[in-house]
Structure formats: structure tokens, C-alpha cells
Coordinates of all heavy atoms in Angstrom, one line a residue:
M1 N 4.2 32.2 4.9 CA 4.1 31.1 4.1 C 5.1 31.2 2.9 O 5.3 32.2 2.4 CB 2.7 31.0 3.6 CG 1.8 30.1 4.3 SD 0.2 29.9 3.6 CE -0.6 31.5 4.0
R2 N 5.7 30.0 2.6 CA 6.6 30.1 1.5 C 5.8 30.0 0.2 O 4.7 29.6 0.2 CB 7.4 28.7 1.6 CG 8.4 28.7 2.6 CD 9.2 27.4 2.6 NE 8.9 26.5 1.4 CZ 9.4 25.4 1.3 NH1 10.2 24.9 2.3 NH2 9.2 24.6 0.3
E3 N 6.4 30.7 -0.8 CA 5.6 30.8 -2.1 C 5.3 29.4 -2.7 O 4.4 29.3 -3.4 CB 6.4 31.6 -3.1 CG 6.5 33.2 -2.7 CD 5.1 33.7 -2.8 OE1 4.4 33.4 -3.7 OE2 4.7 34.6 -1.9
S4 N 6.2 28.5 -2.5 CA 6.0 27.1 -3.1 C 5.1 26.2 -2.3 O 4.7 25.2 -2.9 CB 7.4 26.5 -3.3 OG 7.9 26.2 -1.9
C5 N 4.6 26.7 -1.2 CA 3.7 25.9 -0.4 C 2.3 26.0 -0.9 O 1.7 27.1 -1.0 CB 3.8 26.4 1.1 SG 2.6 25.6 2.1
P6 N 1.7 24.9 -1.2 CA 0.3 25.0 -1.7 C -0.6 25.5 -0.6 O -0.4 25.0 0.5 CB -0.1 23.5 -2.0 CG 1.2 22.7 -2.2 CD 2.2 23.5 -1.3
V7 N -1.6 26.4 -0.9 CA -2.5 26.9 0.0 C -3.9 26.5 -0.3 O -4.3 26.7 -1.5 CB -2.4 28.5 0.1 CG1 -3.5 29.1 0.9 CG2 -1.0 28.9 0.5
V8 N -4.6 25.9 0.6 CA -6.0 25.6 0.5 C -6.8 26.3 1.4 O -6.6 26.3 2.6 CB -6.1 24.1 0.7 CG1 -7.6 23.6 0.5 CG2 -5.2 23.2 -0.2
C9 N -7.8 27.1 0.9 CA -8.7 27.9 1.7 C -10.0 27.2 2.0 O -10.6 26.5 1.0 CB -9.0 29.2 1.1 SG -7.5 30.2 0.8
L10 N -10.4 27.1 3.2 CA -11.8 26.4 3.5 C -12.9 27.4 3.2 O -12.7 28.6 3.8 CB -11.8 25.9 4.9 CG -11.4 24.5 5.1 CD1 -10.0 24.3 4.7 CD2 -11.7 24.0 6.6
D11 N -13.7 27.2 2.3 CA -14.7 28.1 1.9 C -16.0 27.3 1.3 O -15.7 26.3 0.8 CB -14.1 28.9 0.7 CG -15.0 30.1 0.3 OD1 -15.2 31.1 1.0 OD2 -15.7 30.0 -0.7
D12 N -17.1 27.8 1.5 CA -18.3 27.1 1.2 C -18.5 27.0 -0.4 O -19.3 26.2 -0.8 CB -19.6 27.7 1.8 CG -19.9 29.2 1.4 OD1 -19.0 29.8 0.7 OD2 -20.9 29.8 1.8
T13 N -17.7 27.7 -1.2 CA -17.8 27.7 -2.6 C -16.8 26.6 -3.0 O -16.7 26.3 -4.3 CB -17.4 29.0 -3.3 OG1 -16.0 29.4 -3.0 CG2 -18.3 30.1 -2.8
G14 N -16.0 26.0 -2.1 CA -14.9 25.1 -2.7 C -15.5 23.7 -2.9 O -16.7 23.4 -2.7
K15 N -14.6 22.8 -3.4 CA -14.9 21.5 -3.8 C -15.0 20.7 -2.5 O -14.2 20.8 -1.6 CB -13.8 20.9 -4.7 CG -14.0 19.6 -5.2 CD -12.9 19.0 -6.1 CE -13.3 17.6 -6.5 NZ -12.3 17.0 -7.3
M16 N -16.0 19.8 -2.6 CA -16.2 18.8 -1.5 C -15.6 17.5 -1.9 O -15.6 17.1 -3.1 CB -17.7 18.6 -1.2 CG -18.4 19.9 -0.6 SD -20.1 19.6 -0.4 CE -20.1 19.3 1.3
H17 N -15.0 16.9 -0.9 CA -14.3 15.6 -1.1 C -14.9 14.5 -0.1 O -15.2 15.0 1.0 CB -12.8 15.7 -0.8 CG -11.9 16.5 -1.7 ND1 -11.4 16.0 -2.9 CD2 -11.6 17.8 -1.7 CE1 -10.8 16.9 -3.6 NE2 -10.9 18.1 -2.8
D18 N -14.9 13.3 -0.5 CA -15.0 12.3 0.6 C -13.7 12.0 1.2 O -12.7 12.6 0.7 CB -15.8 11.1 0.0 CG -15.0 10.3 -1.1 OD1 -13.8 10.7 -1.3 OD2 -15.6 9.4 -1.8
S19 N -13.7 11.2 2.2 CA -12.5 11.0 2.9 C -11.3 10.4 2.1 O -10.1 10.9 2.1 CB -12.6 10.2 4.2 OG -13.5 11.0 5.1
P20 N -11.6 9.4 1.3 CA -10.5 8.8 0.4 C -10.0 9.7 -0.6 O -8.8 9.9 -0.8 CB -11.1 7.6 -0.2 CG -12.2 7.2 0.7 CD -12.8 8.5 1.3
S21 N -10.9 10.6 -1.2 CA -10.4 11.5 -2.2 C -9.7 12.7 -1.5 O -8.7 13.2 -2.1 CB -11.5 12.0 -3.2 OG -12.5 12.9 -2.5
F22 N -10.0 13.1 -0.3 CA -9.4 14.1 0.5 C -7.9 13.6 0.7 O -7.0 14.4 0.7 CB -10.1 14.5 1.7 CG -9.5 15.5 2.5 CD1 -9.3 16.9 2.1 CD2 -8.9 15.2 3.8 CE1 -8.7 17.8 2.9 CE2 -8.2 16.2 4.6 CZ -8.1 17.5 4.1
S23 N -7.8 12.4 1.1 CA -6.5 11.8 1.5 C -5.6 11.9 0.2 O -4.5 12.3 0.3 CB -6.7 10.3 2.0 OG -5.4 9.7 2.1
S24 N -6.1 11.4 -0.9 CA -5.3 11.4 -2.2 C -4.9 12.9 -2.4 O -3.8 13.1 -2.8 CB -6.1 10.9 -3.3 OG -6.3 9.5 -3.2
Y25 N -5.9 13.7 -2.3 CA -5.7 15.3 -2.7 C -4.5 15.8 -1.8 O -3.6 16.3 -2.3 CB -7.0 16.0 -2.4 CG -6.8 17.5 -2.5 CD1 -6.9 18.1 -3.8 CD2 -6.7 18.2 -1.4 CE1 -6.8 19.5 -3.9 CE2 -6.6 19.6 -1.5 CZ -6.6 20.2 -2.7 OH -6.4 21.5 -2.9
C26 N -4.7 15.5 -0.5 CA -3.6 16.0 0.4 C -2.3 15.5 0.1 O -1.3 16.2 0.1 CB -4.0 15.6 1.9 SG -5.4 16.7 2.6
F27 N -2.1 14.2 -0.1 CA -0.8 13.6 -0.3 C -0.3 14.0 -1.7 O 1.0 14.2 -1.9 CB -0.8 12.1 -0.1 CG -0.7 11.8 1.3 CD1 -1.9 11.6 2.0 CD2 0.4 11.8 2.1 CE1 -2.0 11.4 3.5 CE2 0.5 11.6 3.4 CZ -0.7 11.4 4.1
N28 N -1.1 14.2 -2.7 CA -0.6 14.7 -4.0 C -0.1 16.1 -3.8 O 1.0 16.5 -4.3 CB -1.7 14.7 -5.1 CG -2.1 13.4 -5.5 OD1 -1.4 12.6 -5.4 ND2 -3.3 13.2 -6.1
K29 N -0.8 17.0 -3.0 CA -0.3 18.3 -2.7 C 1.0 18.3 -1.9 O 1.9 19.2 -2.1 CB -1.4 19.1 -1.9 CG -2.6 19.5 -2.8 CD -2.2 20.5 -3.8 CE -3.2 20.8 -4.7 NZ -2.8 21.6 -5.9
L30 N 1.1 17.4 -1.0 CA 2.3 17.3 -0.1 C 3.5 16.9 -1.0 O 4.6 17.4 -0.8 CB 2.1 16.4 1.0 CG 1.2 16.8 2.1 CD1 0.9 15.6 3.1 CD2 2.0 17.9 2.9
E31 N 3.3 16.1 -1.9 CA 4.4 15.5 -2.8 C 4.8 16.7 -3.8 O 5.9 16.8 -4.0 CB 3.9 14.3 -3.6 CG 3.8 13.1 -2.7 CD 3.1 11.9 -3.2 OE1 2.7 11.9 -4.4 OE2 3.0 10.9 -2.5
S32 N 3.8 17.4 -4.2 CA 4.2 18.5 -5.2 C 4.7 19.7 -4.4 O 5.3 20.6 -5.1 CB 3.0 18.8 -6.1 OG 1.9 19.4 -5.3
G33 N 4.3 19.9 -3.2 CA 4.6 21.2 -2.5 C 5.8 21.0 -1.5 O 6.0 21.9 -0.7
G34 N 6.7 20.1 -1.7 CA 7.8 20.0 -0.8 C 7.5 19.7 0.5 O 8.1 20.2 1.6
A35 N 6.6 18.8 0.7 CA 6.1 18.2 2.1 C 5.5 19.3 2.9 O 5.4 19.2 4.2 CB 7.3 17.5 2.8
R36 N 4.9 20.3 2.3 CA 4.2 21.4 3.0 C 2.8 21.6 2.3 O 2.7 21.6 1.2 CB 5.0 22.7 3.0 CG 6.3 22.7 3.8 CD 7.0 24.0 3.7 NE 8.3 23.9 4.3 CZ 8.6 24.3 5.6 NH1 7.6 24.8 6.3 NH2 9.8 24.2 6.1
L37 N 1.9 21.9 3.3 CA 0.5 22.2 2.8 C -0.1 23.1 3.8 O -0.1 22.8 5.0 CB -0.2 20.9 2.6 CG -1.7 21.0 2.2 CD1 -1.8 21.7 0.8 CD2 -2.3 19.6 2.1
A38 N -0.6 24.2 3.4 CA -1.2 25.2 4.3 C -2.8 25.2 4.1 O -3.2 25.3 3.0 CB -0.7 26.5 4.1
F39 N -3.4 25.2 5.2 CA -5.0 25.4 5.1 C -5.2 26.7 5.8 O -4.7 27.1 6.8 CB -5.7 24.3 5.9 CG -5.6 23.0 5.2 CD1 -4.6 22.0 5.5 CD2 -6.5 22.6 4.3 CE1 -4.5 20.8 4.9 CE2 -6.6 21.4 3.7 CZ -5.6 20.5 3.9
V40 N -6.2 27.4 5.2 CA -6.6 28.8 5.8 C -8.0 28.6 6.1 O -8.9 28.2 5.3 CB -6.4 29.9 4.7 CG1 -7.0 31.2 5.2 CG2 -5.0 30.1 4.4
I41 N -8.4 28.9 7.4 CA -9.9 28.9 8.0 C -10.1 30.3 8.3 O -9.4 30.9 9.1 CB -9.9 27.9 9.1 CG1 -9.5 26.5 8.8 CG2 -11.3 27.9 9.6 CD1 -9.4 25.5 9.9
G42 N -11.2 30.7 7.8 CA -11.7 32.0 8.1 C -12.3 32.2 9.4 O -12.6 31.2 10.1
G43 N -12.3 33.4 10.1 CA -12.9 33.6 11.2 C -14.4 33.9 11.1 O -15.0 33.4 10.2
A44 N -15.0 34.5 12.2 CA -16.4 34.6 12.1 C -16.9 35.5 10.9 O -18.1 35.3 10.5 CB -16.8 35.5 13.4
E45 N -16.1 36.3 10.3 CA -16.5 37.1 9.2 C -16.1 36.4 7.8 O -16.1 37.0 6.8 CB -15.9 38.5 9.3 CG -16.3 39.2 10.4 CD -17.8 39.5 10.6 OE1 -18.4 39.8 9.5 OE2 -18.3 39.3 11.6
G46 N -15.6 35.2 7.9 CA -15.2 34.5 6.7 C -13.6 34.6 6.5 O -12.8 35.1 7.4
L47 N -13.3 34.4 5.3 CA -11.8 34.4 4.8 C -11.4 35.9 4.8 O -12.2 36.8 4.4 CB -11.6 33.8 3.6 CG -11.7 32.3 3.5 CD1 -11.7 31.8 2.0 CD2 -10.6 31.6 4.2
P48 N -10.1 36.2 5.2 CA -9.6 37.6 4.9 C -9.6 37.9 3.5 O -9.6 37.0 2.6 CB -8.1 37.4 5.4 CG -8.1 36.2 6.3 CD -9.1 35.3 5.8
E49 N -9.7 39.1 3.2 CA -9.9 39.6 1.8 C -8.8 38.9 0.8 O -9.2 38.6 -0.3 CB -9.7 41.2 1.8 CG -10.0 41.7 0.4 CD -11.3 41.5 -0.3 OE1 -12.3 41.4 0.4 OE2 -11.3 41.4 -1.6
E50 N -7.6 38.9 1.3 CA -6.5 38.5 0.4 C -6.7 37.0 0.0 O -6.1 36.5 -0.9 CB -5.2 38.7 0.9 CG -4.8 38.0 2.2 CD -5.1 38.9 3.5 OE1 -6.0 39.8 3.4 OE2 -4.6 38.6 4.5
F51 N -7.5 36.2 0.8 CA -7.8 34.8 0.5 C -9.2 34.5 -0.1 O -9.3 33.4 -0.5 CB -7.6 34.0 1.7 CG -6.2 33.9 2.3 CD1 -5.8 34.7 3.3 CD2 -5.3 33.1 1.8 CE1 -4.5 34.7 3.9 CE2 -4.0 33.1 2.2 CZ -3.7 33.9 3.4
Q52 N -9.9 35.5 -0.2 CA -11.3 35.3 -0.8 C -11.3 35.1 -2.4 O -10.5 35.7 -3.1 CB -12.2 36.5 -0.6 CG -12.6 36.6 0.9 CD -13.5 37.8 1.2 OE1 -14.0 38.4 0.3 NE2 -13.7 38.0 2.4
P53 N -12.1 34.1 -2.8 CA -12.3 34.0 -4.2 C -12.9 35.1 -4.9 O -13.8 35.6 -4.4 CB -13.1 32.6 -4.4 CG -14.0 32.7 -3.1 CD -13.1 33.3 -2.0
H54 N -12.3 35.5 -6.1 CA -12.9 36.6 -6.7 C -13.2 36.1 -8.2 O -12.3 36.3 -9.1 CB -12.0 37.8 -6.8 CG -11.6 38.4 -5.5 ND1 -12.6 39.2 -4.8 CD2 -10.7 38.3 -4.6 CE1 -12.2 39.6 -3.6 NE2 -10.9 39.0 -3.5
G55 N -14.4 35.6 -8.4 CA -14.8 35.1 -9.7 C -13.8 34.1 -10.3 O -13.4 33.2 -9.6
D56 N -13.3 34.3 -11.5 CA -12.4 33.3 -12.1 C -10.9 33.5 -11.6 O -10.1 32.8 -12.0 CB -12.5 33.4 -13.6 CG -13.9 33.0 -14.1 OD1 -14.5 32.2 -13.4 OD2 -14.3 33.4 -15.2
R57 N -10.7 34.6 -10.9 CA -9.3 35.0 -10.5 C -9.0 34.3 -9.1 O -8.7 35.0 -8.2 CB -9.2 36.5 -10.4 CG -9.4 37.2 -11.7 CD -9.2 38.7 -11.6 NE -10.1 39.2 -10.5 CZ -9.7 40.0 -9.5 NH1 -8.5 40.3 -9.4 NH2 -10.5 40.4 -8.6
R58 N -9.1 33.0 -9.0 CA -8.8 32.3 -7.8 C -7.3 32.1 -7.7 O -6.7 31.3 -8.5 CB -9.6 31.0 -7.8 CG -11.1 31.2 -7.7 CD -11.8 29.9 -7.7 NE -13.2 30.1 -7.4 CZ -13.9 29.5 -6.4 NH1 -13.3 28.6 -5.7 NH2 -15.2 29.8 -6.2
R59 N -6.7 32.6 -6.7 CA -5.3 32.5 -6.5 C -4.9 31.2 -5.8 O -3.8 30.7 -5.7 CB -4.7 33.7 -5.7 CG -4.8 35.0 -6.5 CD -4.2 36.1 -5.7 NE -3.4 35.8 -4.7 CZ -3.2 36.5 -3.6 NH1 -3.8 37.5 -3.4 NH2 -2.4 36.1 -2.6
F60 N -5.8 30.7 -5.1 CA -5.7 29.5 -4.2 C -6.7 28.4 -4.5 O -7.7 28.7 -5.3 CB -5.9 29.9 -2.7 CG -5.0 31.1 -2.3 CD1 -5.5 32.3 -2.0 CD2 -3.7 30.9 -2.1 CE1 -4.8 33.3 -1.7 CE2 -2.9 32.0 -1.7 CZ -3.4 33.2 -1.5
E61 N -6.5 27.2 -4.0 CA -7.6 26.3 -4.1 C -8.5 26.4 -3.0 O -8.1 26.8 -1.9 CB -6.9 24.8 -4.2 CG -6.1 24.7 -5.4 CD -5.6 23.4 -5.7 OE1 -6.5 22.4 -5.5 OE2 -4.6 23.1 -6.1
Y62 N -9.7 25.9 -3.2 CA -10.8 26.2 -2.2 C -11.5 24.8 -2.0 O -11.7 24.0 -2.9 CB -11.9 27.1 -2.7 CG -11.3 28.5 -2.7 CD1 -10.6 28.9 -3.9 CD2 -11.2 29.4 -1.6 CE1 -10.0 30.1 -3.9 CE2 -10.6 30.6 -1.7 CZ -10.0 30.9 -2.9 OH -9.4 32.2 -2.9
F63 N -11.6 24.5 -0.7 CA -12.2 23.2 -0.2 C -13.4 23.4 0.7 O -13.3 24.4 1.6 CB -11.0 22.4 0.5 CG -11.4 21.3 1.2 CD1 -12.0 20.1 0.6 CD2 -11.3 21.2 2.6 CE1 -12.4 19.0 1.3 CE2 -11.7 20.1 3.3 CZ -12.2 19.0 2.7
S64 N -14.4 22.7 0.6 CA -15.5 22.8 1.6 C -15.7 21.6 2.4 O -15.7 20.5 2.0 CB -16.9 23.0 0.8 OG -17.9 23.1 1.7
L65 N -15.7 21.8 3.8 CA -15.8 20.7 4.6 C -17.3 20.1 4.6 O -17.5 18.9 4.8 CB -15.6 21.1 6.1 CG -14.2 21.4 6.5 CD1 -14.0 21.9 7.9 CD2 -13.4 20.0 6.5
S66 N -18.3 20.9 4.3 CA -19.6 20.5 4.3 C -20.5 21.7 3.7 O -20.0 22.8 3.7 CB -20.0 20.2 5.7 OG -21.4 20.1 5.9
S67 N -21.8 21.4 3.4 CA -22.7 22.5 3.0 C -23.2 23.0 4.3 O -24.0 24.1 4.2 CB -23.7 22.0 2.1 OG -24.5 20.9 2.8
L68 N -23.0 22.5 5.5 CA -23.5 23.1 6.8 C -22.5 24.2 7.1 O -21.3 24.3 6.7 CB -23.4 22.0 7.8 CG -24.4 20.8 7.6 CD1 -24.1 19.8 8.6 CD2 -25.8 21.2 7.5
T69 N -23.0 25.0 8.0 CA -22.2 26.2 8.5 C -21.6 25.7 9.9 O -22.3 25.2 10.7 CB -23.0 27.5 8.7 OG1 -23.5 27.8 7.4 CG2 -22.1 28.6 9.2
F70 N -20.3 25.9 10.1 CA -19.6 25.7 11.4 C -18.9 27.0 11.9 O -18.5 27.8 11.2 CB -18.6 24.6 11.2 CG -19.1 23.2 10.7 CD1 -18.9 22.8 9.4 CD2 -19.8 22.5 11.5 CE1 -19.4 21.6 8.9 CE2 -20.4 21.2 11.1 CZ -20.1 20.9 9.8
T71 N -18.7 27.0 13.2 CA -17.8 28.0 13.7 C -16.4 27.7 13.3 O -16.1 26.6 13.0 CB -17.9 28.1 15.3 OG1 -17.4 26.8 15.7 CG2 -19.3 28.3 15.9
H72 N -15.5 28.8 13.2 CA -14.2 28.5 12.8 C -13.5 27.6 13.7 O -12.6 26.8 13.3 CB -13.4 29.8 12.5 CG -13.3 30.7 13.7 ND1 -14.2 31.6 14.2 CD2 -12.2 30.9 14.5 CE1 -13.8 32.1 15.2 NE2 -12.6 31.8 15.4
Q73 N -13.8 27.6 15.0 CA -13.2 26.7 16.0 C -13.6 25.2 15.7 O -12.8 24.4 15.7 CB -13.6 26.9 17.4 CG -13.1 28.3 17.9 CD -14.1 29.4 17.8 OE1 -15.0 29.3 16.9 NE2 -14.0 30.4 18.6
M74 N -14.8 25.0 15.3 CA -15.3 23.6 15.0 C -14.7 23.2 13.6 O -14.3 22.0 13.4 CB -16.8 23.6 14.9 CG -17.3 22.2 14.7 SD -16.9 21.0 15.9 CE -18.0 21.6 17.2
A75 N -14.5 24.2 12.7 CA -13.9 23.8 11.4 C -12.4 23.3 11.6 O -12.0 22.4 11.0 CB -14.0 25.0 10.4
R76 N -11.8 23.9 12.6 CA -10.4 23.4 12.9 C -10.3 22.0 13.4 O -9.5 21.2 13.0 CB -9.7 24.4 14.0 CG -9.5 25.7 13.4 CD -8.6 26.6 14.2 NE -8.8 26.5 15.7 CZ -8.4 27.4 16.5 NH1 -7.8 28.5 16.2 NH2 -8.6 27.3 17.8
V77 N -11.3 21.7 14.3 CA -11.4 20.4 14.8 C -11.7 19.3 13.7 O -11.1 18.3 13.6 CB -12.5 20.2 15.9 CG1 -12.7 18.7 16.3 CG2 -12.0 21.0 17.1
L78 N -12.7 19.7 12.9 CA -13.1 18.8 11.7 C -12.0 18.6 10.7 O -11.7 17.5 10.3 CB -14.3 19.3 11.0 CG -15.7 19.3 11.9 CD1 -16.7 20.2 11.2 CD2 -16.1 18.0 12.1
L79 N -11.3 19.7 10.5 CA -10.1 19.6 9.6 C -9.1 18.8 10.1 O -8.5 17.9 9.4 CB -9.6 21.0 9.2 CG -8.3 21.0 8.2 CD1 -8.7 20.4 6.9 CD2 -7.9 22.4 8.1
A80 N -8.8 18.9 11.4 CA -7.6 18.1 12.0 C -8.0 16.7 12.0 O -7.1 15.8 11.7 CB -7.4 18.6 13.5
E81 N -9.3 16.3 12.2 CA -9.7 14.9 12.2 C -9.6 14.4 10.7 O -9.1 13.2 10.6 CB -11.1 14.7 12.7 CG -11.4 13.3 13.1 CD -11.8 12.4 11.9 OE1 -12.3 13.0 10.8 OE2 -11.6 11.2 11.8
Q82 N -9.9 15.2 9.8 CA -9.8 14.7 8.4 C -8.4 14.5 8.0 O -8.1 13.6 7.1 CB -10.6 15.6 7.5 CG -12.1 15.5 7.6 CD -12.6 14.1 7.2 OE1 -12.3 13.5 6.2 NE2 -13.3 13.5 8.3
I83 N -7.5 15.4 8.4 CA -6.1 15.2 8.1 C -5.5 14.0 8.8 O -4.8 13.2 8.1 CB -5.3 16.5 8.6 CG1 -5.7 17.6 7.7 CG2 -3.7 16.2 8.5 CD1 -5.2 19.0 8.1
Y84 N -5.9 13.7 10.0 CA -5.5 12.5 10.6 C -6.1 11.3 9.9 O -5.4 10.3 9.6 CB -6.0 12.4 12.1 CG -5.7 11.1 12.8 CD1 -4.4 10.8 13.2 CD2 -6.7 10.2 12.9 CE1 -4.1 9.5 13.8 CE2 -6.5 8.9 13.5 CZ -5.2 8.6 14.0 OH -4.9 7.4 14.5
R85 N -7.4 11.4 9.5 CA -8.0 10.2 8.8 C -7.3 10.0 7.4 O -7.1 8.9 7.0 CB -9.5 10.6 8.6 CG -10.2 9.4 7.8 CD -11.8 9.8 7.8 NE -12.3 9.9 9.0 CZ -12.9 9.0 9.7 NH1 -12.8 7.7 9.1 NH2 -13.4 9.1 10.9
A86 N -6.9 11.2 6.7 CA -6.2 11.1 5.5 C -4.9 10.3 5.7 O -4.5 9.5 4.8 CB -5.9 12.5 4.9
S87 N -4.2 10.6 6.8 CA -2.9 9.9 7.0 C -3.2 8.4 7.3 O -2.3 7.6 6.8 CB -2.1 10.5 8.0 OG -2.8 10.4 9.4
E88 N -4.2 8.1 8.0 CA -4.5 6.8 8.2 C -5.0 5.9 7.0 O -4.6 4.7 6.8 CB -5.5 6.6 9.4 CG -5.0 7.1 10.8 CD -3.8 6.2 11.2 OE1 -3.9 5.1 11.4 OE2 -2.7 6.9 11.4
I89 N -5.7 6.6 6.1 CA -6.1 6.1 4.9 C -4.8 5.6 4.1 O -4.7 4.6 3.6 CB -7.1 6.9 4.2 CG1 -8.4 6.9 4.8 CG2 -7.2 6.4 2.7 CD1 -9.4 8.0 4.3
R90 N -4.0 6.7 4.0 CA -2.7 6.5 3.3 C -1.9 5.3 3.8 O -1.4 4.5 3.1 CB -2.0 7.8 3.3 CG -0.6 7.7 2.8 CD -0.6 7.7 1.2 NE 0.7 8.0 0.6 CZ 0.9 8.7 -0.4 NH1 0.0 9.4 -0.9 NH2 2.2 8.8 -0.8
R91 N -1.9 5.2 5.2 CA -1.2 4.2 5.9 C -1.8 2.8 5.8 O -1.1 1.8 5.9 CB -1.0 4.6 7.3 CG 0.2 3.9 8.0 CD 0.4 4.6 9.4 NE -0.7 4.4 10.2 CZ -0.7 3.5 11.2 NH1 0.3 2.6 11.2 NH2 -1.7 3.4 12.1
G92 N -3.1 2.8 5.5 CA -3.8 1.4 5.4 C -4.0 1.0 6.8 O -4.2 -0.3 6.9
S93 N -4.3 1.7 7.8 CA -4.4 1.2 9.1 C -5.8 0.6 9.6 O -5.9 -0.1 10.5 CB -4.2 2.4 10.1 OG -5.3 3.3 10.1
G94 N -6.8 0.9 8.7 CA -8.1 0.4 9.1 C -8.9 1.4 9.9 O -10.1 1.0 10.3
Y95 N -8.4 2.5 10.2 CA -9.1 3.5 11.0 C -10.3 3.9 10.2 O -11.4 4.1 10.8 CB -8.2 4.7 11.3 CG -8.8 5.9 11.9 CD1 -9.1 5.9 13.3 CD2 -9.2 7.0 11.2 CE1 -9.6 7.0 13.9 CE2 -9.8 8.1 11.8 CZ -10.0 8.1 13.2 OH -10.6 9.1 13.8
H96 N -10.2 4.2 9.0 CA -11.3 4.6 8.1 C -12.1 3.4 7.7 O -11.6 2.5 7.1 CB -10.8 5.4 6.8 CG -11.9 5.8 5.9 ND1 -12.8 6.8 6.2 CD2 -12.3 5.3 4.7 CE1 -13.6 6.9 5.2 NE2 -13.3 6.0 4.3
K97 N -13.4 3.4 7.9 CA -14.3 2.4 7.5 C -15.1 2.9 6.3 O -15.7 4.0 6.3 CB -15.3 2.0 8.6 CG -14.7 1.8 10.0 CD -13.9 0.5 10.1 CE -13.4 0.1 11.5 NZ -12.3 0.8 11.9
D98 N -15.2 2.1 5.2 CA -16.0 2.6 4.0 C -17.5 2.3 4.3 O -17.8 1.4 4.9 CB -15.5 1.8 2.8 CG -14.2 2.5 2.2 OD1 -14.1 3.7 2.3 OD2 -13.3 1.7 1.7

């Protein structure tokens, strides 16, 4: 990963967004990060140590898909759909219904 690329870790301690605010968040990150944005999804044991939040020393931003627990495979599907939805919200296509 490039140093200038924003990194967002999926973690249950992260901020939750609704779809419109996630869309704004993603596109703000893309604009500030040189059209790159990386998401990190942990495996069965959670995030790797280098990506885990340590108190106030958070090196990355953290985002929560839900307060529910999902397998990491399901989290990938949910994140992919939300990224697609974010792009459609930005485009104004009508895919997202309020």
C-alpha cells in the first residue's frame, strides 16, 4: 500500500455510517487520497496486530458495517455492495432508495 493511500479498517469499534454518509465519506477519501482508498477486513481472528486500534493511538480510520457479527467473507460482500451503492448515490442513479 502506498503511504498516501487512506486506509480504513473494518472493526466493531469503528464509526457506523448510513449509506449516504458512507458515500460522502468514501468520495472525500478518494479525492484526498489520490483516487485510492484501501479497506482492511480481518480474518476469523480479527484484524492483524499492525491494524488493530490501540487506545488513542489509532493509526488508521475505523469503520463498522454493523453491530452484528459477520464472517470475513460476508463482510467482503457487504462492503462491495456498499461501495457500489456509494458510487450509485454519487452518480444519482436512483439505485439507492431513502
Side-chain angles (χ1 to χ4, degrees):
M1 261 183 289
R2 292 179 8 185
E3 287 297 320
S4 63
C5 176
V7 175
V8 181
C9 300
L10 270 63
D11 186 76
D12 61 355
T13 66
K15 181 178 179 180
M16 293 178 100
H17 293 273
D18 61 14
S19 294
S21 70
F22 180 70
S23 178
S24 295
Y25 173 81
C26 286
F27 282 94
N28 287 340
K29 289 292 175 191
L30 286 168
E31 289 166 1
S32 68
R36 295 179 184 264
L37 178 58
F39 288 93
V40 177
I41 301 173
E45 302 299 319
L47 290 168
E49 180 64 30
E50 62 269 23
F51 292 102
Q52 289 183 5
H54 295 285
D56 292 338
R57 298 179 305 126
R58 293 179 171 231
R59 293 182 19 212
F60 306 103
E61 292 193 43
Y62 295 86
F63 167 69
S64 177
L65 285 172
S66 170
S67 58
L68 300 172
T69 302
F70 300 108
T71 63
H72 61 281
Q73 293 97 334
M74 186 60 72
R76 291 192 320 201
V77 172
L78 293 170
L79 178 61
E81 195 281 332
Q82 285 302 304
I83 292 169
Y84 175 76
R85 182 177 297 275
S87 67
E88 292 301 300
I89 288 170
R90 174 76 169 225
R91 203 167 69 88
S93 73
Y95 175 81
H96 176 73
K97 313 283 189 281
D98 282 324

